[in-house]
Amino acid sequence: MLSAEELVIENLDKTFYAGNKHINALEQVDFTVKRGEFVNLIGPSGCGKSTLLRCIAGFEKPTKGRVCLNGQEITGPGVERMMVFQSFEQLFPWYTVQENIMFALKVTAMVTSCAERREVARTYLEMVGLTAFADFYPHQLSGGMKQRVAIARALSVRPRILLMDEPFGSLDAMTRSTLQEELIRIWEETGVTILFVTHNIEEAIILGDRIVVFESNPGRIKAVITNKLARPRSPEANEFNIIWEQIHSLLRFKHPEKARPERSVTKLFTEERKLSLMTHL
Amino acid sequence: MVKEKEGIIHRKKTLNQVLFILGALIGWELLAWTGWFPPLLFPKMSQVFIHLWTELSGGELLQRVVFSLYIIGLGLGLAVVTAALVTTGAMLSPLFSDWVQALMAVLHPLPGIAVLPIIILWLGTGSRSIVAVIWFSSIWPLIANLHTGLRSVPTTQIEVGRNLGLKGIALVRSILLPGAFPYILTGLRVGWARAWQASVAAEMVFGASGGEGGLGWFIYKKRFFMEIPSVFGGMIIIILIGLLVERLCFEAVEVRTVRRWGMTSE
């Protein structure tokens, strides 16, 4: 292990041009993720959090700045950065659940023999508790099951980092909370680094070691909150509510000083807290 | 349980339909027996089947069937290849895509048979002209469906493919083509139907040179000699081939692919 800094995002700008208009989706985004860390990105819609994830995945090219994984600059999509999408359409409908995973193993040349691929696929299906559904086609699965398969498929090719773009965003509250628990278990089992975009404050607090709060127009990091709550986390805990309110006020007000920050809260979470609007303070 | 019940309902429906067709044939037979219509123009159904049997055992009809299928296969095959090339071009170049769309908008409404006179002038009255008409009739639905099909593949699936390191031909082959398959199948179905229509229609205009010809030519010739039962016989053969191809090819493929994958809109 050379350095604990797995993912480094340096001075990243992303501008979209539409005709003669341009939109600063991301501006001066600067932050790092440590190996094995679980980081949540949260912000209002249109704040560029998904764009950032897509820049890391290599689907978008940054306008300025760069993204490095394990010391290597990212220039395009790669199997060491697997994305899990929100859409239930991310599985290939013409393959069964097992074949979806086997296909990923085949095209990435992770496993050469077909029998071995079947074995590996089984292992990952077991991890998400879907061995009984191995021979089902995606259209026969519920939304939650589809997302589990997508997670299993992404992990099967052994990525260094898992990029999750609101994967539970279209699920009902019950399924969502079960999957959150399972994701934490899988994360602890595999030790994979996870970057997780959400717009749900509760989800961010339940999952993340750190929560990066974005503001929109332009999309910038507003604050980074370290979340040291003991796992498993429950929304009933007092500290949970403190963090919730802190994020809530960060999201609601453009200028943090107007958000009436409580002294105790800021003291609790100052160490990683970084305000891009320093000049206003 | 549900599957069984569906099966029973389905079988009942098929039985109903078969009985209806049989009833219609018997009705025809009875109507012909009354003698209200001239038997030369309205033959008995029994007569039609007797003639059909003679033609089949004589071997000529079978030869016509083989010729028809061969020429349709040739025209449709060429159309599929052209459609694939054109669509690839349209995917690679937006300019070319605009041209193809313009061409489709202009030429799609034109029935294949309408270009026959000019094709006869260009290529003569041989089977080449028939192949050309079949090609022209079936290519537009093929291009349209292939194009729509490729565009219907969800971006997410393409991105998963790219994430796994696929690009270029590999991405097209393993993600875009299977994703577009429901549309491709529809295109082939429509293309096949159009090809049949075109071949029969074209052969009725000029037959075929050197005594070679397909089912259209067969019907045309029989009408010329006023062998009306054989004219109906030829029509029955066309219907049967249509049914067989639909059931044995298209439906069989559909059940094993699109329906199993849940990629139908029903």
Side-chain angles (χ1 to χ4, degrees):
Chain A
M1 219 192 265
L2 286 165
S3 113
E5 283 182 351
E6 179 82 341
L7 181 76
V8 182
I9 298 157
E10 282 173 6
N11 240 329
L12 190 120
D13 280 14
K14 176 72 192 177
T15 314
F16 288 110
Y17 297 92
N20 48 8
K21 271 196 195 166
H22 62 279
I23 298 147
N24 290 338
L26 291 168
E27 208 174 272
Q28 293 184 327
V29 174
D30 233 326
F31 92 110
T32 59
V33 178
K34 292 187 205 71
R35 180 167 302 179
E37 206 178 8
F38 199 132
V39 176
N40 276 91
L41 308 180
I42 195 167
S45 49
C47 69
K49 54 194 193 298
S50 287
T51 306
L52 177 61
L53 214 60
R54 293 177 59 79
C55 283
I56 299 166
F59 295 137
E60 307 276 356
K61 286 219 170 5
T63 314
K64 228 182 80 190
R66 57 185 208 147
V67 184
C68 293
L69 182 74
N70 194 34
Q72 274 198 318
E73 189 171 344
I74 287 161
T75 52
V79 75
E80 73 283 357
R81 291 160 276 127
M82 282 305 290
M83 185 96 144
V84 175
F85 298 85
Q86 175 176 11
S87 164
F88 290 154
E89 283 181 331
Q90 62 189 306
L91 301 178
F92 302 119
W94 56 91
Y95 286 136
T96 62
V97 164
Q98 181 167 280
E99 285 165 353
N100 258 282
I101 301 177
M102 286 169 68
F103 173 76
L105 294 168
K106 188 180 174 186
V107 298
T108 53
M110 294 290 294
V111 184
T112 42
S113 93
C114 184
E116 255 179 275
R117 280 200 285 273
R118 190 163 294 134
E119 276 303 300
V120 176
R122 285 270 162 185
T123 317
Y124 281 92
L125 280 179
E126 213 165 284
M127 183 184 274
V128 295
L130 282 180
T131 33
F133 293 88
D135 297 324
F136 280 55
Y137 282 92
H139 76 102
Q140 297 168 307
L141 305 180
S142 70
M145 289 177 180
K146 285 180 193 168
Q147 300 309 76
R148 281 170 204 248
V149 178
I151 293 170
R153 183 177 65 185
L155 285 172
S156 72
V157 296
R158 302 178 151 277
R160 297 185 72 96
I161 185 165
L162 199 57
L163 306 168
M164 308 186 84
D165 192 2
E166 300 192 38
F168 308 151
S170 306
L171 299 175
D172 62 273
M174 294 276 277
T175 317
R176 182 186 266 247
S177 108
T178 320
L179 276 174
Q180 286 164 357
E181 274 172 41
E182 291 202 25
L183 182 61
I184 288 299
R185 179 180 52 78
I186 290 166
W187 170 62
E188 283 167 348
E189 264 175 43
T190 57
V192 68
T193 313
I194 297 181
L195 209 55
F196 190 109
V197 165
T198 180
H199 56 241
N200 183 316
I201 303 178
E202 198 179 295
E203 183 164 73
I205 304 172
I206 284 180
L207 296 172
D209 288 332
R210 280 192 301 155
I211 299 157
V212 182
V213 183
F214 278 78
E215 63 181 2
S216 55
N217 287 323
R220 280 197 247 196
I221 295 178
K222 194 171 198 181
V224 179
I225 292 163
T226 306
N227 180 358
K228 292 208 160 129
L229 288 179
R231 295 176 193 274
R233 293 169 179 162
S234 124
E236 282 90 54
N238 202 24
E239 296 94 323
F240 195 104
N241 289 318
I242 296 173
I243 304 180
W244 194 93
E245 267 168 30
Q246 190 192 9
I247 297 175
H248 185 69
S249 58
L250 278 166
L251 289 175
R252 254 183 90 182
F253 297 95
K254 182 114 178 141
H255 303 294
E257 71 270 26
K258 288 186 194 154
R260 295 181 288 106
E262 288 164 49
R263 283 285 128 221
S264 58
V265 178
T266 27
K267 223 190 283 171
L268 251 170
F269 307 106
T270 38
E271 55 159 26
E272 276 275 2
R273 187 160 174 195
K274 192 174 72 183
L275 298 171
S276 57
L277 292 169
M278 278 301 184
T279 46
H280 293 270
L281 292 171
Chain B
M1 273 293 279
V2 179
K3 273 240 165 99
E4 250 171 59
K5 220 175 197 175
E6 266 174 21
I8 289 169
I9 291 170
H10 186 75
R11 247 172 283 155
K12 220 172 162 183
K13 199 176 145 190
T14 315
L15 188 68
N16 263 339
Q17 289 170 333
V18 169
L19 286 178
F20 169 75
I21 297 291
L22 281 178
L25 289 178
I26 291 168
W28 178 310
E29 179 74 11
L30 291 177
L31 205 57
W33 271 96
T34 59
W36 293 343
F37 309 104
L40 190 64
L41 302 180
F42 193 80
K44 290 176 199 138
M45 207 15 94
S46 50
Q47 209 61 34
V48 169
F49 277 101
I50 289 166
H51 274 253
L52 186 57
W53 177 249
T54 331
E55 299 288 358
L56 277 173
S57 46
E60 198 210 331
L61 190 51
L62 269 181
Q63 218 177 316
R64 299 285 174 233
V65 169
V66 170
F67 186 81
S68 271
L69 290 178
Y70 161 72
I71 215 148
I72 289 171
L74 196 62
L76 197 57
L78 284 173
V80 168
V81 172
T82 325
L85 289 175
V86 167
T87 315
T88 312
M91 273 169 66
L92 294 175
S93 144
L95 182 69
F96 189 66
S97 172
D98 289 347
W99 293 351
V100 171
Q101 274 170 34
L103 211 56
M104 264 201 315
V106 174
L107 294 180
H108 196 179
L110 189 63
I113 202 70
V115 298
L116 186 62
I118 207 73
I119 286 184
I120 291 174
L121 286 179
W122 287 350
L123 299 176
T125 55
S127 44
R128 274 196 306 174
S129 291
I130 302 179
V131 172
V133 173
I134 293 173
W135 178 86
F136 184 84
S137 307
S138 52
I139 189 161
W140 308 112
L142 287 173
I143 293 179
N145 277 286
L146 191 55
H147 197 248
T148 319
L150 292 173
R151 286 167 142 240
S152 76
V153 180
T155 328
T156 333
Q157 281 169 25
I158 299 170
E159 283 181 347
V160 171
R162 287 176 62 203
N163 207 164
L164 292 168
L166 292 172
K167 49 185 146 193
I169 297 288
L171 188 70
V172 172
R173 198 174 48 97
S174 47
I175 288 168
L176 285 172
L177 284 183
F181 193 73
Y183 285 90
I184 295 175
L185 195 62
T186 307
L188 287 174
R189 255 190 176 134
V190 179
W192 158 260
R194 290 272 192 101
W196 251 119
Q197 290 165 10
S199 81
V200 172
E203 285 182 341
M204 292 207 173
V205 173
F206 62 83
S209 56
E212 273 284 291
L215 277 165
W217 173 233
F218 175 84
I219 292 174
Y220 184 78
K221 211 171 64 177
K222 292 298 172 187
R223 186 210 64 97
F224 194 78
F225 294 117
M226 282 314 264
E227 288 179 39
I228 303 307
S230 294
V231 170
F232 280 110
M235 285 159 65
I236 288 176
I237 289 293
I238 291 179
I239 292 172
L240 286 179
I241 292 175
L243 280 177
L244 277 178
V245 169
E246 172 60 29
R247 285 290 151 90
L248 295 183
C249 295
F250 291 117
E251 218 175 272
V253 169
E254 190 183 272
V255 166
R256 276 173 186 74
T257 57
V258 179
R259 274 199 233 160
R260 174 181 291 174
W261 304 336
M263 286 171 88
T264 45
S265 45
E266 1 159 357

